[in-house]
Amino acid sequence: MTGTAPRKVLLVDDDPHIRQVLAFAFAKAGMSTEEAIDGEAALAAVAAAVPDLVVLDINMPRMDGLEVCRRLRAMDCAVPILFLSSRDEEIDRVLGIELGADDYVVKPFSPREVVARAGAILRRAAPAPPKAAATDVAHGLLRLDTAGWQAFWSDQEVALTVTEFSLLAALAAAGNRILSRDALIDRLHGPGFAVTDRTIDSHIRNLRRKFAQCGAADVIETRAGIGYRLGPCQGQPPR
């Protein structure tokens, strides 16, 4: 017994059966859950106590999951978000990721898959061991605090989601090497995880947009048909 509190997951879905099934699956995995029946209840729950992860249904009445995600990110809330949706269109997955979600599962789903994807997100968000505190990355005007999960451009913090930070850290660790989309997926999720190339592209666009707001125009380079690598990061910060 280490005394470590279990990870808390907020389950947001208007279907009580789905909430019940997921609550049982997460409990078996050693995680605690809280439930919200709609978007407004979800926002209130996060405001009261930020969970370790939000499992968020997209198709809910009054306020759908996309709007909940949009509002959380507008509040600079970086809680990881795993979307659930009955819509399997790629554009829906891409929109969810571009709004700031970390992953996406299509209904009908296996509860084990949802727990596995949630676990992958939580592992990426886990605090680094003490010895990793000295492994900060500095590249041009970019600095990554790997222990604190913070990214800086010329000492200005850039708020990133767990997945965005992990993706940027993977590119930084690769140095000048180009990483293919498949290689980035393996680093983020592990081999064999079903994630589309468009999902990676959406995360890259989010990173570029956020750094561009700080004056960074060269944080990530694209090699057409190959993949991505960290840019020179020499852009001028805003005055």
Side-chain angles (χ1 to χ4, degrees), residues 130-182:
K131 66 178 182 180
T135 62
D136 291 359
V137 176
H139 180 78
L141 296 176
L142 174 69
R143 181 170 65 84
L144 301 180
D145 175 359
T146 56
W149 286 80
Q150 293 174 291
F152 299 88
W153 181 265
S154 187
D155 293 327
Q156 179 179 353
E157 184 173 1
V158 182
L160 303 179
T161 67
V162 169
T163 300
E164 290 164 0
F165 184 91
S166 299
L167 182 57
L168 188 59
L171 291 170
N176 199 44
R177 290 185 294 116
I178 299 171
L179 294 182
S180 68
R181 292 172 177 82
D182 286 343

Side-chain angles (χ1 to χ4, degrees), residues 96-217:
I97 296 300
E98 291 188 342
L99 285 174
D102 292 271
D103 206 350
Y104 192 110
V105 177
V106 177
K107 297 178 180 179
F109 54 76
S110 159
R112 292 179 62 184
E113 180 187 3
V114 175
V115 172
R117 287 182 178 269
I121 294 171
L122 290 170
R123 283 192 295 275
R124 294 199 300 272
K131 66 178 182 180
T135 62
D136 291 359
V137 176
H139 180 78
L141 296 176
L142 174 69
R143 181 170 65 84
L144 301 180
D145 175 359
T146 56
W149 286 80
Q150 293 174 291
F152 299 88
W153 181 265
S154 187
D155 293 327
Q156 179 179 353
E157 184 173 1
V158 182
L160 303 179
T161 67
V162 169
T163 300
E164 290 164 0
F165 184 91
S166 299
L167 182 57
L168 188 59
L171 291 170
N176 199 44
R177 290 185 294 116
I178 299 171
L179 294 182
S180 68
R181 292 172 177 82
D182 286 343
L184 287 169
I185 290 171
D186 287 348
R187 282 163 171 76
L188 292 179
H189 300 282
F193 237 73
V195 177
T196 68
D197 290 352
R198 289 286 299 277
T199 297
I200 293 295
D201 294 343
S202 295
H203 286 308
I204 293 290
R205 281 195 294 272
N206 281 351
L207 281 166
R208 284 174 169 155
R209 173 177 52 80
K210 289 181 177 182
F211 277 91
Q213 292 171 352
C214 299

